mmCIF file of all heavy atoms in Angstrom:
data_model
loop_
_atom_site.group_PDB
_atom_site.id
_atom_site.type_symbol
_atom_site.label_atom_id
_atom_site.label_comp_id
_atom_site.label_asym_id
_atom_site.label_seq_id
_atom_site.Cartn_x
_atom_site.Cartn_y
_atom_site.Cartn_z
ATOM 1 N N GLY E 44 12.063 16.726 -20.103
ATOM 2 C CA GLY E 44 12.258 15.725 -19.047
ATOM 3 C C GLY E 44 11.457 16.016 -17.800
ATOM 4 O O GLY E 44 11.752 15.501 -16.731
ATOM 5 N N TYR E 47 6.326 14.382 -15.981
ATOM 6 C CA TYR E 47 5.851 13.254 -15.179
ATOM 7 C C TYR E 47 5.007 13.809 -14.032
ATOM 8 O O TYR E 47 5.252 14.924 -13.569
ATOM 9 C CB TYR E 47 7.008 12.387 -14.688
ATOM 10 C CG TYR E 47 7.985 13.078 -13.788
ATOM 11 C CD1 TYR E 47 7.902 12.952 -12.409
ATOM 12 C CD2 TYR E 47 9.002 13.867 -14.306
ATOM 13 C CE1 TYR E 47 8.800 13.587 -11.579
ATOM 14 C CE2 TYR E 47 9.901 14.508 -13.473
ATOM 15 C CZ TYR E 47 9.791 14.366 -12.109
ATOM 16 O OH TYR E 47 10.671 14.991 -11.290
ATOM 17 N N ASP E 49 4.459 13.690 -10.793
ATOM 18 C CA ASP E 49 4.868 14.250 -9.511
ATOM 19 C C ASP E 49 5.375 15.684 -9.653
ATOM 20 O O ASP E 49 4.988 16.575 -8.900
ATOM 21 C CB ASP E 49 5.958 13.379 -8.882
ATOM 22 C CG ASP E 49 6.364 13.894 -7.521
ATOM 23 O OD1 ASP E 49 5.476 14.018 -6.667
ATOM 24 O OD2 ASP E 49 7.556 14.208 -7.325
ATOM 25 N N TYR E 146 9.123 20.755 14.619
ATOM 26 C CA TYR E 146 10.292 19.879 14.552
ATOM 27 C C TYR E 146 10.511 19.127 15.856
ATOM 28 O O TYR E 146 10.803 17.944 15.852
ATOM 29 C CB TYR E 146 11.530 20.696 14.216
ATOM 30 C CG TYR E 146 12.717 19.861 13.829
ATOM 31 C CD1 TYR E 146 12.987 19.597 12.495
ATOM 32 C CD2 TYR E 146 13.561 19.328 14.784
ATOM 33 C CE1 TYR E 146 14.054 18.826 12.125
ATOM 34 C CE2 TYR E 146 14.636 18.546 14.428
ATOM 35 C CZ TYR E 146 14.891 18.305 13.097
ATOM 36 O OH TYR E 146 15.949 17.532 12.725
ATOM 37 N N SER E 147 10.396 19.821 16.987
ATOM 38 C CA SER E 147 10.756 19.104 18.208
ATOM 39 C C SER E 147 9.732 19.196 19.326
ATOM 40 O O SER E 147 9.577 18.245 20.072
ATOM 41 C CB SER E 147 12.119 19.569 18.706
ATOM 42 O OG SER E 147 12.202 20.959 18.686
ATOM 43 N N ASN E 154 5.129 14.503 14.460
ATOM 44 C CA ASN E 154 6.104 13.433 14.265
ATOM 45 C C ASN E 154 7.470 13.952 13.800
ATOM 46 O O ASN E 154 8.234 13.230 13.185
ATOM 47 C CB ASN E 154 5.572 12.382 13.294
ATOM 48 C CG ASN E 154 6.179 11.012 13.566
ATOM 49 O OD1 ASN E 154 6.718 10.799 14.647
ATOM 50 N ND2 ASN E 154 6.118 10.123 12.612
ATOM 51 N N GLU E 156 10.990 15.361 12.591
ATOM 52 C CA GLU E 156 11.778 15.214 11.373
ATOM 53 C C GLU E 156 11.302 14.011 10.545
ATOM 54 O O GLU E 156 11.395 13.997 9.327
ATOM 55 C CB GLU E 156 13.247 15.076 11.796
ATOM 56 C CG GLU E 156 14.138 14.239 10.922
ATOM 57 C CD GLU E 156 14.568 14.948 9.660
ATOM 58 O OE1 GLU E 156 14.515 16.185 9.648
ATOM 59 O OE2 GLU E 156 14.926 14.256 8.698
ATOM 60 N N THR E 157 10.783 12.986 11.220
ATOM 61 C CA THR E 157 10.372 11.774 10.519
ATOM 62 C C THR E 157 9.205 12.042 9.580
ATOM 63 O O THR E 157 9.080 11.401 8.548
ATOM 64 C CB THR E 157 9.967 10.699 11.535
ATOM 65 O OG1 THR E 157 10.879 10.755 12.613
ATOM 66 C CG2 THR E 157 9.981 9.347 10.915
ATOM 67 N N GLN E 160 2.725 10.457 8.652
ATOM 68 C CA GLN E 160 2.273 9.595 7.559
ATOM 69 C C GLN E 160 0.936 8.955 7.900
ATOM 70 O O GLN E 160 0.557 8.879 9.058
ATOM 71 C CB GLN E 160 3.272 8.463 7.344
ATOM 72 C CG GLN E 160 4.513 8.871 6.628
ATOM 73 C CD GLN E 160 5.210 7.652 6.036
ATOM 74 O OE1 GLN E 160 4.655 6.930 5.245
ATOM 75 N NE2 GLN E 160 6.455 7.446 6.435
ATOM 76 N N GLY E 179 -4.987 -1.956 -0.042
ATOM 77 C CA GLY E 179 -3.567 -1.658 0.168
ATOM 78 C C GLY E 179 -3.352 -0.514 1.127
ATOM 79 O O GLY E 179 -3.995 -0.409 2.160
ATOM 80 N N GLN E 180 -2.452 0.363 0.734
ATOM 81 C CA GLN E 180 -2.056 1.483 1.580
ATOM 82 C C GLN E 180 -3.119 2.590 1.516
ATOM 83 O O GLN E 180 -3.672 2.847 0.449
ATOM 84 C CB GLN E 180 -0.723 2.013 1.027
ATOM 85 C CG GLN E 180 -0.038 3.043 1.862
ATOM 86 C CD GLN E 180 0.463 2.473 3.160
ATOM 87 O OE1 GLN E 180 0.434 1.282 3.374
ATOM 88 N NE2 GLN E 180 0.890 3.340 4.056
ATOM 89 N N GLN E 189 -9.004 7.666 -6.917
ATOM 90 C CA GLN E 189 -7.649 7.922 -6.419
ATOM 91 C C GLN E 189 -7.024 9.133 -7.102
ATOM 92 O O GLN E 189 -7.331 9.413 -8.261
ATOM 93 C CB GLN E 189 -6.781 6.696 -6.662
ATOM 94 C CG GLN E 189 -7.168 5.568 -5.742
ATOM 95 C CD GLN E 189 -6.007 4.671 -5.419
ATOM 96 O OE1 GLN E 189 -5.010 4.668 -6.121
ATOM 97 N NE2 GLN E 189 -6.121 3.920 -4.364
ATOM 98 N N TYR E 197 -4.353 16.988 -12.714
ATOM 99 C CA TYR E 197 -5.494 17.793 -13.180
ATOM 100 C C TYR E 197 -6.275 18.375 -12.012
ATOM 101 O O TYR E 197 -6.809 19.484 -12.106
ATOM 102 C CB TYR E 197 -6.385 16.957 -14.111
ATOM 103 C CG TYR E 197 -5.730 16.756 -15.445
ATOM 104 C CD1 TYR E 197 -5.267 15.515 -15.850
ATOM 105 C CD2 TYR E 197 -5.512 17.846 -16.282
ATOM 106 C CE1 TYR E 197 -4.622 15.351 -17.057
ATOM 107 C CE2 TYR E 197 -4.864 17.685 -17.494
ATOM 108 C CZ TYR E 197 -4.425 16.440 -17.881
ATOM 109 O OH TYR E 197 -3.771 16.299 -19.061
ATOM 110 N N ASP E 265 0.661 13.627 -2.061
ATOM 111 C CA ASP E 265 1.686 12.815 -1.424
ATOM 112 C C ASP E 265 1.477 12.910 0.076
ATOM 113 O O ASP E 265 1.935 13.857 0.713
ATOM 114 C CB ASP E 265 3.074 13.344 -1.816
ATOM 115 C CG ASP E 265 4.178 12.496 -1.228
ATOM 116 O OD1 ASP E 265 3.858 11.448 -0.641
ATOM 117 O OD2 ASP E 265 5.346 12.873 -1.364
ATOM 118 N N LEU E 267 2.289 12.918 3.087
ATOM 119 C CA LEU E 267 3.295 12.958 4.143
ATOM 120 C C LEU E 267 3.555 14.417 4.456
ATOM 121 O O LEU E 267 3.688 15.228 3.542
ATOM 122 C CB LEU E 267 4.592 12.294 3.680
ATOM 123 C CG LEU E 267 5.802 12.503 4.584
ATOM 124 C CD1 LEU E 267 6.401 11.184 4.992
ATOM 125 C CD2 LEU E 267 6.867 13.358 3.943
ATOM 126 N N GLU E 271 10.327 20.020 7.333
ATOM 127 C CA GLU E 271 11.223 20.819 6.485
ATOM 128 C C GLU E 271 10.480 21.836 5.638
ATOM 129 O O GLU E 271 11.023 22.880 5.310
ATOM 130 C CB GLU E 271 12.003 19.932 5.523
ATOM 131 C CG GLU E 271 12.972 19.011 6.170
ATOM 132 C CD GLU E 271 12.514 17.582 6.030
ATOM 133 O OE1 GLU E 271 11.980 17.245 4.969
ATOM 134 O OE2 GLU E 271 12.665 16.821 6.983
ATOM 135 N N ARG E 272 9.235 21.497 5.289
ATOM 136 C CA ARG E 272 8.526 22.431 4.414
ATOM 137 C C ARG E 272 8.145 23.696 5.150
ATOM 138 O O ARG E 272 7.604 24.612 4.555
ATOM 139 C CB ARG E 272 7.325 21.750 3.770
ATOM 140 C CG ARG E 272 6.289 21.232 4.708
ATOM 141 C CD ARG E 272 5.184 20.523 3.968
ATOM 142 N NE ARG E 272 5.645 19.305 3.316
ATOM 143 C CZ ARG E 272 4.853 18.357 2.856
ATOM 144 N NH1 ARG E 272 3.550 18.494 2.969
ATOM 145 N NH2 ARG E 272 5.332 17.284 2.284
ATOM 146 N N ASN E 308 14.316 19.819 -9.310
ATOM 147 C CA ASN E 308 14.035 18.415 -9.566
ATOM 148 C C ASN E 308 14.805 17.841 -10.747
ATOM 149 O O ASN E 308 15.092 16.661 -10.769
ATOM 150 C CB ASN E 308 12.537 18.202 -9.794
ATOM 151 C CG ASN E 308 11.781 18.258 -8.490
ATOM 152 O OD1 ASN E 308 11.710 17.283 -7.770
ATOM 153 N ND2 ASN E 308 11.258 19.426 -8.157
ATOM 154 N N ILE E 309 15.107 18.664 -11.731
ATOM 155 C CA ILE E 309 15.749 18.117 -12.927
ATOM 156 C C ILE E 309 17.263 18.277 -12.864
ATOM 157 O O ILE E 309 18.004 17.324 -13.006
ATOM 158 C CB ILE E 309 15.183 18.777 -14.198
ATOM 159 C CG1 ILE E 309 13.670 18.608 -14.236
ATOM 160 C CG2 ILE E 309 15.834 18.190 -15.430
ATOM 161 C CD1 ILE E 309 13.175 17.186 -14.270
ATOM 162 N N ASN E 314 23.599 13.436 -13.270
ATOM 163 C CA ASN E 314 24.872 13.001 -12.686
ATOM 164 C C ASN E 314 25.921 12.891 -13.784
ATOM 165 O O ASN E 314 25.648 13.154 -14.958
ATOM 166 C CB ASN E 314 24.700 11.680 -11.937
ATOM 167 C CG ASN E 314 24.059 10.610 -12.803
ATOM 168 O OD1 ASN E 314 24.216 10.600 -14.012
ATOM 169 N ND2 ASN E 314 23.318 9.715 -12.187
ATOM 170 N N ASN E 316 27.270 10.486 -15.316
ATOM 171 C CA ASN E 316 26.971 9.572 -16.421
ATOM 172 C C ASN E 316 26.180 10.266 -17.508
ATOM 173 O O ASN E 316 26.497 10.164 -18.689
ATOM 174 C CB ASN E 316 26.137 8.398 -15.910
ATOM 175 C CG ASN E 316 27.018 7.370 -15.249
ATOM 176 O OD1 ASN E 316 28.215 7.333 -15.506
ATOM 177 N ND2 ASN E 316 26.438 6.579 -14.387
ATOM 178 N N PRO N 46 -4.012 15.086 -23.389
ATOM 179 C CA PRO N 46 -2.847 14.436 -22.791
ATOM 180 C C PRO N 46 -3.185 13.081 -22.175
ATOM 181 O O PRO N 46 -2.337 12.202 -22.126
ATOM 182 C CB PRO N 46 -2.390 15.426 -21.727
ATOM 183 C CG PRO N 46 -3.463 16.413 -21.590
ATOM 184 C CD PRO N 46 -4.296 16.381 -22.802
ATOM 185 N N THR N 76 24.061 15.409 -0.038
ATOM 186 C CA THR N 76 24.317 16.622 0.748
ATOM 187 C C THR N 76 23.641 16.428 2.091
ATOM 188 O O THR N 76 22.780 15.586 2.239
ATOM 189 C CB THR N 76 23.758 17.871 0.057
ATOM 190 O OG1 THR N 76 22.399 17.618 -0.301
ATOM 191 C CG2 THR N 76 24.513 18.220 -1.199
ATOM 192 N N TYR N 126 20.928 2.366 -13.815
ATOM 193 C CA TYR N 126 20.446 3.026 -12.599
ATOM 194 C C TYR N 126 20.239 4.516 -12.826
ATOM 195 O O TYR N 126 20.778 5.096 -13.761
ATOM 196 C CB TYR N 126 21.406 2.796 -11.434
ATOM 197 C CG TYR N 126 22.751 3.484 -11.587
ATOM 198 C CD1 TYR N 126 22.989 4.739 -11.022
ATOM 199 C CD2 TYR N 126 23.779 2.862 -12.285
ATOM 200 C CE1 TYR N 126 24.223 5.354 -11.173
ATOM 201 C CE2 TYR N 126 25.011 3.475 -12.436
ATOM 202 C CZ TYR N 126 25.227 4.727 -11.877
ATOM 203 O OH TYR N 126 26.437 5.339 -12.022
ATOM 204 N N THR N 128 19.933 8.195 -10.250
ATOM 205 C CA THR N 128 20.193 8.628 -8.875
ATOM 206 C C THR N 128 19.386 9.872 -8.551
ATOM 207 O O THR N 128 18.900 10.576 -9.427
ATOM 208 C CB THR N 128 21.676 8.978 -8.648
ATOM 209 O OG1 THR N 128 22.009 10.026 -9.555
ATOM 210 C CG2 THR N 128 22.574 7.797 -8.872
ATOM 211 N N SER N 135 13.440 13.948 4.575
ATOM 212 C CA SER N 135 12.390 12.988 4.223
ATOM 213 C C SER N 135 11.576 13.460 3.020
ATOM 214 O O SER N 135 11.317 12.695 2.095
ATOM 215 C CB SER N 135 11.454 12.771 5.403
ATOM 216 O OG SER N 135 12.168 12.626 6.588
ATOM 217 N N ASP N 136 11.172 14.726 3.038
ATOM 218 C CA ASP N 136 10.354 15.290 1.957
ATOM 219 C C ASP N 136 11.042 15.142 0.605
ATOM 220 O O ASP N 136 10.446 14.692 -0.372
ATOM 221 C CB ASP N 136 10.161 16.800 2.192
ATOM 222 C CG ASP N 136 8.798 17.103 2.788
ATOM 223 O OD1 ASP N 136 8.095 16.137 3.129
ATOM 224 O OD2 ASP N 136 8.452 18.290 2.907
ATOM 225 N N ARG N 139 11.388 11.605 -0.708
ATOM 226 C CA ARG N 139 10.138 11.095 -1.269
ATOM 227 C C ARG N 139 9.909 11.656 -2.667
ATOM 228 O O ARG N 139 9.503 10.928 -3.580
ATOM 229 C CB ARG N 139 8.992 11.508 -0.348
ATOM 230 C CG ARG N 139 8.046 10.400 -0.063
ATOM 231 C CD ARG N 139 7.153 10.796 1.063
ATOM 232 N NE ARG N 139 5.777 10.560 0.706
ATOM 233 C CZ ARG N 139 5.046 9.561 1.206
ATOM 234 N NH1 ARG N 139 5.571 8.711 2.043
ATOM 235 N NH2 ARG N 139 3.797 9.409 0.864
ATOM 236 N N ARG N 144 10.023 10.709 -8.518
ATOM 237 C CA ARG N 144 10.522 11.026 -9.857
ATOM 238 C C ARG N 144 11.127 9.790 -10.506
ATOM 239 O O ARG N 144 10.861 9.499 -11.671
ATOM 240 C CB ARG N 144 11.576 12.131 -9.781
ATOM 241 C CG ARG N 144 12.209 12.387 -11.161
ATOM 242 C CD ARG N 144 13.207 13.515 -11.161
ATOM 243 N NE ARG N 144 14.351 13.211 -10.337
ATOM 244 C CZ ARG N 144 14.655 13.841 -9.223
ATOM 245 N NH1 ARG N 144 13.906 14.824 -8.785
ATOM 246 N NH2 ARG N 144 15.715 13.513 -8.521
ATOM 247 N N GLU N 147 8.167 7.466 -11.445
ATOM 248 C CA GLU N 147 7.236 7.935 -12.467
ATOM 249 C C GLU N 147 7.934 8.257 -13.783
ATOM 250 O O GLU N 147 7.434 7.940 -14.850
ATOM 251 C CB GLU N 147 6.482 9.176 -11.969
ATOM 252 C CG GLU N 147 5.466 8.847 -10.897
ATOM 253 C CD GLU N 147 4.647 10.048 -10.483
ATOM 254 O OE1 GLU N 147 5.041 11.190 -10.824
ATOM 255 O OE2 GLU N 147 3.625 9.867 -9.800
ATOM 256 N N ARG N 148 9.065 8.946 -13.714
ATOM 257 C CA ARG N 148 9.684 9.388 -14.955
ATOM 258 C C ARG N 148 10.691 8.381 -15.489
ATOM 259 O O ARG N 148 10.729 8.089 -16.673
ATOM 260 C CB ARG N 148 10.380 10.735 -14.747
ATOM 261 C CG ARG N 148 10.855 11.327 -16.066
ATOM 262 C CD ARG N 148 11.703 12.555 -15.872
ATOM 263 N NE ARG N 148 12.963 12.224 -15.243
ATOM 264 C CZ ARG N 148 13.939 13.098 -15.063
ATOM 265 N NH1 ARG N 148 13.784 14.351 -15.437
ATOM 266 N NH2 ARG N 148 15.060 12.752 -14.489
ATOM 267 N N VAL N 164 11.743 5.525 6.316
ATOM 268 C CA VAL N 164 10.341 5.350 6.690
ATOM 269 C C VAL N 164 9.437 6.082 5.686
ATOM 270 O O VAL N 164 8.418 5.550 5.248
ATOM 271 C CB VAL N 164 10.116 5.856 8.130
ATOM 272 C CG1 VAL N 164 8.636 5.969 8.436
ATOM 273 C CG2 VAL N 164 10.790 4.927 9.119
ATOM 274 N N GLN N 171 5.203 1.464 -0.844
ATOM 275 C CA GLN N 171 4.040 0.609 -0.615
ATOM 276 C C GLN N 171 2.853 1.116 -1.437
ATOM 277 O O GLN N 171 2.133 0.341 -2.059
ATOM 278 C CB GLN N 171 3.686 0.603 0.880
ATOM 279 C CG GLN N 171 2.444 -0.185 1.223
ATOM 280 C CD GLN N 171 2.727 -1.664 1.405
ATOM 281 O OE1 GLN N 171 3.842 -2.054 1.723
ATOM 282 N NE2 GLN N 171 1.712 -2.487 1.203
ATOM 283 N N GLU N 172 2.667 2.447 -1.453
ATOM 284 C CA GLU N 172 1.567 3.026 -2.237
ATOM 285 C C GLU N 172 1.720 2.726 -3.720
ATOM 286 O O GLU N 172 0.755 2.436 -4.411
ATOM 287 C CB GLU N 172 1.551 4.554 -2.075
ATOM 288 C CG GLU N 172 0.880 5.054 -0.831
ATOM 289 C CD GLU N 172 1.210 6.525 -0.609
ATOM 290 O OE1 GLU N 172 1.394 7.248 -1.616
ATOM 291 O OE2 GLU N 172 1.281 6.942 0.552
ATOM 292 N N ARG N 193 6.645 -2.075 6.250
ATOM 293 C CA ARG N 193 5.760 -2.167 5.091
ATOM 294 C C ARG N 193 6.075 -3.456 4.333
ATOM 295 O O ARG N 193 7.222 -3.918 4.326
ATOM 296 C CB ARG N 193 5.990 -0.983 4.141
ATOM 297 C CG ARG N 193 5.621 0.368 4.708
ATOM 298 C CD ARG N 193 4.119 0.605 4.661
ATOM 299 N NE ARG N 193 3.784 1.968 5.090
ATOM 300 C CZ ARG N 193 3.516 2.318 6.340
ATOM 301 N NH1 ARG N 193 3.516 1.409 7.289
ATOM 302 N NH2 ARG N 193 3.219 3.573 6.638
ATOM 303 N N ASP N 230 17.065 14.196 16.915
ATOM 304 C CA ASP N 230 15.619 14.306 17.119
ATOM 305 C C ASP N 230 14.832 13.792 15.912
ATOM 306 O O ASP N 230 14.230 14.564 15.180
ATOM 307 C CB ASP N 230 15.279 15.771 17.406
ATOM 308 C CG ASP N 230 13.896 15.910 17.985
ATOM 309 O OD1 ASP N 230 13.210 14.898 18.115
ATOM 310 O OD2 ASP N 230 13.513 17.043 18.315
ATOM 311 N N TYR N 231 14.839 12.489 15.675
ATOM 312 C CA TYR N 231 13.948 11.867 14.688
ATOM 313 C C TYR N 231 13.860 10.387 14.995
ATOM 314 O O TYR N 231 14.473 9.913 15.945
ATOM 315 C CB TYR N 231 14.404 12.162 13.260
ATOM 316 C CG TYR N 231 15.658 11.469 12.795
ATOM 317 C CD1 TYR N 231 15.586 10.381 11.950
ATOM 318 C CD2 TYR N 231 16.909 11.908 13.205
ATOM 319 C CE1 TYR N 231 16.732 9.745 11.500
ATOM 320 C CE2 TYR N 231 18.054 11.275 12.768
ATOM 321 C CZ TYR N 231 17.952 10.192 11.914
ATOM 322 O OH TYR N 231 19.074 9.568 11.475
ATOM 323 N N THR N 232 13.127 9.678 14.190
ATOM 324 C CA THR N 232 12.770 8.293 14.527
ATOM 325 C C THR N 232 13.949 7.447 14.978
ATOM 326 O O THR N 232 13.875 6.721 15.963
ATOM 327 C CB THR N 232 12.030 7.615 13.348
ATOM 328 O OG1 THR N 232 11.933 6.230 13.607
ATOM 329 C CG2 THR N 232 12.737 7.818 12.018
ATOM 330 N N TRP N 235 15.162 8.568 18.498
ATOM 331 C CA TRP N 235 14.179 8.212 19.525
ATOM 332 C C TRP N 235 14.258 6.739 19.895
ATOM 333 O O TRP N 235 14.305 6.381 21.068
ATOM 334 C CB TRP N 235 12.745 8.504 19.038
ATOM 335 C CG TRP N 235 12.492 9.908 18.628
ATOM 336 C CD1 TRP N 235 13.179 11.021 19.030
ATOM 337 C CD2 TRP N 235 11.491 10.379 17.711
ATOM 338 N NE1 TRP N 235 12.660 12.133 18.419
ATOM 339 C CE2 TRP N 235 11.633 11.773 17.618
ATOM 340 C CE3 TRP N 235 10.487 9.749 16.971
ATOM 341 C CZ2 TRP N 235 10.816 12.559 16.794
ATOM 342 C CZ3 TRP N 235 9.673 10.511 16.166
ATOM 343 C CH2 TRP N 235 9.828 11.916 16.079
ATOM 344 N N LEU N 260 18.621 17.439 13.924
ATOM 345 C CA LEU N 260 19.489 16.763 12.951
ATOM 346 C C LEU N 260 20.276 17.819 12.169
ATOM 347 O O LEU N 260 19.711 18.803 11.718
ATOM 348 C CB LEU N 260 18.606 15.941 12.009
ATOM 349 C CG LEU N 260 19.283 15.177 10.879
ATOM 350 C CD1 LEU N 260 20.247 14.169 11.420
ATOM 351 C CD2 LEU N 260 18.229 14.503 10.016
ATOM 352 N N PRO N 462 -0.695 -5.312 2.585
ATOM 353 C CA PRO N 462 -0.847 -6.331 1.559
ATOM 354 C C PRO N 462 0.298 -6.335 0.553
ATOM 355 O O PRO N 462 0.989 -5.330 0.374
ATOM 356 C CB PRO N 462 -2.145 -5.929 0.864
ATOM 357 C CG PRO N 462 -2.205 -4.457 1.049
ATOM 358 C CD PRO N 462 -1.521 -4.132 2.340
ATOM 359 N N VAL N 468 -2.343 2.408 -8.002
ATOM 360 C CA VAL N 468 -1.919 3.797 -8.195
ATOM 361 C C VAL N 468 -1.161 3.959 -9.505
ATOM 362 O O VAL N 468 -1.332 4.900 -10.259
ATOM 363 C CB VAL N 468 -1.038 4.255 -7.019
ATOM 364 C CG1 VAL N 468 -0.387 5.584 -7.332
ATOM 365 C CG2 VAL N 468 -1.864 4.358 -5.765
#
Side-chain angles (χ1 to χ4, degrees):
Chain E
Y47 62 98
D49 183 57
Y146 193 95
S147 46
N154 208 18
E156 149 77 21
T157 320
Q160 283 200 59
Q180 188 68 8
Q189 289 210 341
Y197 287 111
D265 183 7
L267 169 125
E271 294 111 38
R272 61 183 66 165
N308 284 277
I309 304 299
N314 53 30
N316 279 339
Chain N
T76 50
Y126 68 95
T128 59
S135 316
D136 259 7
R139 226 167 130 107
R144 175 177 65 247
E147 288 185 346
R148 189 188 67 174
V164 168
Q171 176 85 25
E172 278 167 32
R193 295 281 186 269
D230 195 358
Y231 71 103
T232 169
W235 303 336
L260 178 61
V468 169

